[in-house]
Amino acid sequence: MPNEGTPSRYTITAALPYTNGPIHIGHLAGVYVPADIYSRYLRLQGHDVAFICGSDEHGVAIPMKAKKEGVSPKEIIDKYHGIIKKSFLDFGISFDNYSRTSAEVHHRTASDFFEKLHNQGDFIEEVTEQLYDEEANQFLADRFVTGTCPVCGNTEAYGDQCENCGSSLNATDLINPKSTITGGVPTLKKTKHWFLPLDRYEDFLKQWILEDHKSDWKPNVYGQCKSWIDDGLKPRAVTRDLDWGIPVPVEGGEGKVLYVWFDAPIGYISSTKEWAEREGKDWEPYWKDKNTKLLHFIGKDNIVFHCIIFPSMLKAHGDFVLPENVPANEFLNLEGNKLSTSKNWAVWLHEYLEEFPNMQDVLRYALTANAPETKDNDFTWKDFQARNNNELVAIFGNFVNRVTVLTHKYYNGVVPDPSELLEIDKQTLESLRSFPKTITDSIDRYRFREASQELMNLARLGNKYLADEEPWKLIKTDEERVKTIMFVALQIATGLAILSEPFLPFTSAKLKSILNVRSSPVLSEVEGAGETSWKSVDNQDTLLPSGHQINKSELLFRKVEDKEIDAQLAKLEATKKSNEQMDKELTPQKETITFDDFTKLDMRVGTIVEAEKMPKANKLLVLKVDTGLDTRTIVSGIAESFSAEEIVGKKVTVLVNLAPRKLRGVESEGMILMTENQEGKLVFLNPDEDGVGNGESIS
């Protein structure tokens, strides 16, 4: 059953990002921002938190990437580990430890884990037939095999999964498999591997997930787990024939490594060990004490591994606690298309910060407000602009700016002493005190999108209060009343500074600096110390006392202009055209000719002097072309790409010694040389023409 009462500590893990590319907004929205919001929120509540992550650096995609780039696997993991770690740091993802699975502590931890299960008899050893590339002289790991999916017929399915229908596969399931290394057809060859018999854990998983967590796990997580369990679990290999990874640490394991989905989740444990050693702590209570609440933040593609395979591993080991919740998100798309690292269809975090410096919180907020919590959602640059301009600037930033500017204008930045509170003041302050619980209720249910909108509602409360009370008008007739209004408004601004920290950490820090306050989970006993806490917002009458000096006002957010959004859309459009060009199948090279064959072709520069549409023919134009030798008639099938009027006067390349040929009664004496652009439109032969790519045929 779920833990009762308040846990002694929280261990929070975020899915280990794979080091074959940088981090994009899909990763941030699906995993890392919600995990960071939750961790920051718990710390503000005074809880003991270990927020753990690290780079996943094993598996077949790493050597594949290395081979493609002509470097070593270590160069690949070092490059992307550095980029990823910096991106997280730049975006304020507050990991207590960010490790990597190439670290010695991880190799030791994963090896020890495997050995314990092996010695307990928890694995079964099987000799199976696996696909083998005779030319490359190696067994083919899942991602080195492509073929036709037996479920949906997709001809580009991988050996472990079909990305079209989402089916989990074995490489031997594929129809017409081929090696991605040599392109050859693989053979079947016998090899020994170790398997975790998941079927032994079916009863445990049925009770633990389908009964104990029926009401508190998200429907998408529960539903996927139920489907797997209902279909019947089967033994799953935990080793692979590969030379990149953690060597299998038992007799007979030579030339084999731990399967990446066995070793990667153990990375949470090894990263915790690394953190504890650095901080002088004992790591074991964070993974082995029943009063610890373990939470995994992941995307929906990792549900099975974190809810069925890893818990079965932990159960087999026997010493570890099980996850209390796995609040997986769905996927985020970009401008209507699936995010793709390989196709460069993404907003990369390191590039975003180059183009929108010091605007981390804007992206954090836009992704949270549109988080794919229950279904796939779409990120658009127009929505990003609207969230910034209409909410962060016009609501949050506008309220704070009004309050701080007026406080300096009327009172030289000193919080005024209020007179008698009217009913509207009391109601407003009472509303302020209700927000911590409202936001807490949403966060505790992993509804971060809902929580972010409640935070914005607090800013709306402040704006409405100022708009209704109009202190800028009352200052001329009732200065005492204005003191009260500004005092109340400053309490709301301070509440925003505190409650925004999980969502907008950079903005929260800036606002606290302006208000000259600092937040702490535990309030100082010193009166007027300028300290505030999450709990103080709902149980303290005054957050910012009279006589407190605030600092100079500054804008929290800036407006995003249309030209900035247009530039991002143009960037994506260029990516789309580049992908279309790459996906386009080029005409195969024709058979080799001799130099003498080539010299038979007589190609001249000419000018089109007349052009008209061929009657009753959609594709044909009748041209008069000055070749320098003569002016001749040429019939050309270009009418769907050009009008007759627009090509008169155009310089063209003409094959002049082509035998004449009659087309619809008109004798054509030559050929205009053409090619196609990315849109499939014909263009006159000119390699510098927009959209003409390498490899295009000339015809």
Side-chain angles (χ1 to χ4, degrees):
M1 292 295 291
N3 285 342
E4 299 294 334
T6 303
S8 300
R9 68 196 63 78
Y10 289 81
T11 300
I12 299 170
T13 73
L16 305 186
Y18 202 49
T19 49
N20 66 336
I23 290 290
H24 57 57
I25 57 171
H27 303 124
L28 211 60
V31 177
Y32 304 107
V33 166
D36 187 61
I37 290 171
Y38 195 73
S39 299
R40 286 177 176 274
Y41 154 75
L42 290 175
R43 292 192 197 104
L44 284 169
Q45 297 275 28
H47 295 297
D48 181 1
V49 174
F51 183 21
I52 301 298
C53 194
S55 293
D56 180 1
E57 300 176 327
H58 296 141
V60 71
I62 301 299
M64 283 179 73
K65 183 86 169 180
K67 188 181 180 71
K68 185 177 180 182
E69 295 191 11
V71 297
S72 69
K74 188 175 187 310
E75 287 176 280
I76 290 292
I77 64 174
D78 287 347
K79 172 185 175 180
Y80 289 115
H81 172 75
I83 291 172
I84 291 168
K85 188 174 182 179
K86 187 176 186 304
S87 292
F88 285 143
L89 189 65
D90 289 343
F91 272 86
I93 307 301
S94 59
F95 296 126
D96 289 297
N97 198 58
Y98 188 80
S99 187
R100 53 194 305 187
T101 59
S102 61
E104 193 274 334
V105 64
H106 176 68
H107 276 241
R108 187 173 65 251
T109 302
S111 296
D112 289 349
F113 200 110
F114 182 92
E115 281 190 271
K116 186 173 192 300
L117 267 59
H118 176 268
N119 294 338
Q120 291 176 172
D122 291 312
F123 296 134
I124 54 176
E125 296 179 31
E126 283 189 10
V127 174
T128 60
E129 289 189 319
Q130 300 291 320
L131 295 178
Y132 188 83
D133 188 321
E134 299 284 354
E135 184 179 341
N137 194 31
Q138 69 178 72
F139 283 98
L140 294 173
D142 300 334
R143 287 272 156 167
F144 278 140
V145 186
T146 59
T148 300
C149 173
V151 179
C152 71
N154 171 30
T155 57
E156 296 181 354
Y158 288 105
D160 60 347
Q161 186 179 36
C162 174
E163 295 189 349
N164 182 58
C165 68
S167 296
S168 180
L169 303 171
N170 291 310
T172 50
D173 296 333
L174 294 175
I175 301 167
N176 300 322
K178 70 176 181 178
S179 167
T180 62
I181 300 174
T182 63
V185 177
T187 59
L188 286 171
K189 189 173 181 179
K190 290 182 178 181
T191 182
K192 183 178 77 170
H193 281 294
W194 285 261
F195 290 75
L196 181 65
L198 293 176
D199 46 310
R200 289 183 191 171
Y201 303 96
E202 269 194 28
D203 290 342
F204 147 68
L205 292 168
K206 283 179 181 177
Q207 180 62 46
W208 176 60
I209 299 175
L210 303 187
E211 296 299 327
D212 295 352
H213 287 290
K214 190 171 187 175
S215 59
D216 64 322
W217 279 20
K218 292 173 70 172
N220 61 327
V221 178
Y222 183 87
Q224 195 173 134
C225 291
K226 187 175 188 305
S227 175
W228 267 69
I229 295 169
D230 288 349
D231 283 347
L233 300 177
K234 300 174 182 64
R236 192 174 184 92
V238 295
T239 58
R240 282 288 186 267
D241 288 297
L242 198 63
D243 59 1
W244 179 252
I246 299 174
V248 174
V250 297
E251 186 178 345
E254 297 78 13
K256 303 177 192 296
V257 298
L258 302 184
Y259 180 36
V260 68
W261 271 114
F262 182 86
D263 104 69
I266 298 172
Y268 300 137
I269 301 169
S270 60
S271 183
T272 308
K273 285 183 177 181
E274 190 176 76
W275 163 74
E277 184 175 351
R278 186 183 70 239
E279 300 297 322
K281 293 175 176 284
D282 180 3
W283 73 271
E284 293 200 5
Y286 292 88
W287 280 94
K288 297 182 177 181
D289 191 302
K290 62 181 178 61
N291 291 319
T292 293
K293 185 172 182 178
L294 173 63
L295 296 157
H296 297 311
F297 282 84
I298 58 168
K300 69 176 176 181
D301 53 335
N302 288 337
I303 289 173
V304 169
F305 298 106
H306 285 77
C307 297
I308 292 179
I309 298 174
F310 189 41
S312 296
M313 290 163 55
L314 296 175
K315 182 73 172 174
H317 192 285
D319 293 338
F320 292 91
V321 296
L322 299 172
E324 187 68 21
N325 212 316
V326 186
N329 273 352
E330 299 292 293
F331 288 156
L332 186 74
N333 296 321
L334 171 60
E335 297 288 350
N337 292 310
K338 182 180 177 181
L339 281 154
S340 171
T341 297
S342 61
K343 293 184 178 294
N344 194 31
W345 189 255
V347 177
W348 305 107
L349 301 195
H350 64 293
E351 290 184 2
Y352 170 87
L353 278 185
E354 292 170 4
E355 293 154 355
F356 295 93
N358 302 314
M359 294 180 67
Q360 299 96 319
D361 280 351
V362 178
L363 186 57
R364 283 178 65 117
Y365 178 74
L367 294 176
T368 304
N370 192 36
E373 291 177 348
T374 56
K375 61 181 180 64
D376 290 358
N377 270 358
D378 195 35
F379 176 91
T380 70
W381 279 109
K382 288 293 185 183
D383 180 71
F384 167 85
Q385 183 185 30
R387 294 286 185 188
N388 179 79
N389 294 354
N390 302 340
E391 296 177 28
L392 292 175
V393 173
I395 299 172
F396 195 121
N398 179 60
F399 168 68
V400 169
N401 189 55
R402 275 177 164 184
V403 173
T404 54
V405 167
L406 291 178
T407 301
H408 278 282
K409 182 177 180 180
Y410 299 156
Y411 314 114
N412 295 318
V414 176
V415 178
D417 191 12
S419 54
E420 182 183 356
L421 296 178
L422 301 182
E423 189 60 31
I424 183 64
D425 307 322
K426 294 176 183 177
Q427 289 177 358
T428 300
L429 290 172
E430 187 61 34
S431 292
L432 166 61
R433 285 191 283 270
S434 72
F435 275 91
K437 184 180 185 309
T438 302
I439 295 174
T440 290
D441 287 346
S442 296
I443 292 178
D444 282 345
R445 290 176 293 149
Y446 313 104
R447 296 183 178 180
F448 305 107
R449 185 167 155 177
E450 182 180 273
S452 72
Q453 296 313 293
E454 290 298 339
L455 177 70
M456 194 56 65
N457 285 338
L458 176 55
R460 289 187 175 96
L461 172 73
N463 267 324
K464 184 177 187 309
Y465 177 72
L466 283 184
D468 290 345
E469 298 307 303
E470 299 182 312
W472 46 86
K473 290 184 180 178
L474 278 177
I475 193 68
K476 301 171 185 176
T477 58
D478 193 345
E479 290 187 9
E480 287 302 308
R481 174 64 188 147
V482 171
K483 288 179 181 177
T484 304
I485 295 169
M486 295 309 301
F487 176 84
V488 171
L490 283 161
Q491 306 312 305
I492 298 173
T494 308
L496 276 173
I498 299 162
L499 301 181
S500 65
E501 183 175 333
F503 309 93
L504 310 169
F506 298 94
T507 304
S508 172
K510 186 187 284 190
L511 181 50
K512 286 171 189 169
S513 177
I514 294 170
L515 296 174
N516 194 21
V517 298
R518 58 187 180 276
S519 64
S520 169
V522 181
L523 278 176
S524 169
E525 295 179 3
V526 181
E527 188 71 27
E531 288 191 1
T532 54
S533 74
W534 186 279
K535 293 178 181 177
S536 69
V537 180
D538 66 4
N539 63 21
Q540 197 167 306
D541 290 337
T542 300
L543 297 175
L544 209 59
S546 303
H548 179 85
Q549 177 72 52
I550 70 170
N551 294 318
K552 184 181 177 182
S553 176
E554 56 178 307
L555 292 178
L556 297 179
F557 307 100
R558 70 162 179 87
K559 191 176 180 183
V560 173
E561 303 296 339
D562 288 345
K563 64 181 181 181
E564 296 176 273
I565 299 304
D566 292 341
Q568 294 301 321
L569 293 173
K571 187 176 173 182
L572 287 174
E573 187 59 32
T575 296
K576 185 180 288 187
K577 287 184 177 180
S578 175
N579 287 335
E580 289 171 356
Q581 182 66 28
M582 289 177 65
D583 292 341
K584 186 176 181 180
E585 290 190 14
L586 297 176
T587 304
Q589 178 182 308
K590 296 178 181 178
E591 63 184 65
T592 303
I593 62 171
T594 66
F595 181 74
D596 289 341
D597 291 331
F598 174 74
T599 59
K600 293 178 183 178
L601 301 175
D602 189 348
M603 292 178 284
R604 308 283 177 122
V605 175
T607 302
I608 298 174
V609 293
E610 293 180 24
E612 63 180 3
K613 192 90 164 39
M614 171 80 78
K616 298 181 180 179
N618 294 329
K619 295 183 178 181
L620 301 179
L621 291 181
V622 180
L623 312 177
K624 294 287 187 185
V625 182
D626 180 355
T627 67
L629 302 172
D630 53 26
T631 298
R632 63 179 66 187
T633 299
I634 297 177
V635 179
S636 185
I638 61 174
E640 291 182 335
S641 296
F642 303 97
S643 66
E645 295 76 20
E646 70 179 300
I647 61 172
V648 173
K650 187 82 174 174
K651 289 275 189 185
V652 293
T653 304
V654 186
L655 180 61
V656 295
N657 63 334
L658 186 67
R661 181 184 176 192
K662 275 196 174 184
L663 295 169
R664 291 184 176 261
V666 178
E667 189 170 81
S668 180
E669 302 174 283
M671 178 182 288
I672 309 293
L673 300 188
M674 312 289 293
T675 187
E676 288 185 352
N677 65 12
Q678 291 172 354
E679 284 77 37
K681 180 185 175 185
L682 290 171
V683 294
F684 293 106
L685 181 58
N686 175 5
D688 290 329
E689 190 76 32
D690 285 346
V692 176
N694 293 338
E696 295 291 0
S697 296
I698 297 168
S699 57

